[in-house]
Amino acid sequence: MHGRFADDELTTYLQTLAVSVLPHRFGTHSGWLEACRDVGTRVVAPTCGHYADQWDDVVLYGNDEVRGLDTGSLTAAVLVAVTRPWPARADPAWRAEQRTQLRRVHDHVYGRVAADHHART
């Protein structure tokens, strides 16, 4: 569940959007952005954090804790986003492989931390 949406409802909703604007002034990554990527909905994201690192099709605008919102860059970013060709949906098999690899890395890191903790106690 993503907030008020069940997964199928979220997918359906995101597919109706031409663009989704992330309003954040701080943060690092976004599950909402990942859901948009999965269904092929372009994202306009702030320059803070690492949103652009999540998907090369993100269009950036100025918004962060220090400088605040740059309304001119937001307007320009939305215009760019809606005039680009529609992005492709993420390949479900590729996304499944990403999740598998992430689980492996997580299990490895968690195992090392747990072993280190156990060795110290």
Side-chain angles (χ1 to χ4, degrees):
M1 189 90 158
H2 293 84
R4 65 186 177 124
F5 294 105
D7 287 344
D8 289 341
E9 291 173 318
L10 177 61
T11 297
T12 300
Y13 171 72
L14 291 176
Q15 289 172 331
T16 67
L17 301 178
V19 64
S20 182
V21 177
L22 301 182
H24 313 304
R25 286 182 21 170
F26 58 90
T28 60
H29 296 82
S30 170
W32 189 267
L33 187 153
E34 292 295 334
C36 288
R37 182 179 188 182
D38 286 346
V39 301
T41 299
R42 179 156 292 109
V43 173
V44 171
T47 49
C48 65
H50 296 277
Y51 303 111
D53 296 333
Q54 286 184 257
W55 186 17
D56 59 0
D57 211 343
V58 169
V59 180
L60 294 175
Y61 72 96
N63 196 15
D64 61 45
E65 287 185 276
V66 175
R67 291 177 292 277
L69 174 62
D70 176 351
T71 56
S73 71
L74 175 58
T75 300
V78 170
L79 289 172
V80 166
V82 298
T83 58
R84 283 187 183 173
W86 205 267
R89 294 178 178 181
D91 176 44
W94 174 71
R95 295 297 265 174
E97 180 57 31
Q98 277 188 317
R99 285 189 297 275
T100 298
Q101 290 176 6
L102 183 60
R103 276 188 216 102
R104 284 186 197 131
V105 170
H106 180 266
D107 289 347
H108 175 75
V109 170
Y110 183 81
R112 290 192 62 178
V113 169
D116 185 51
H117 177 74
H118 181 67
R120 292 177 184 211
T121 57

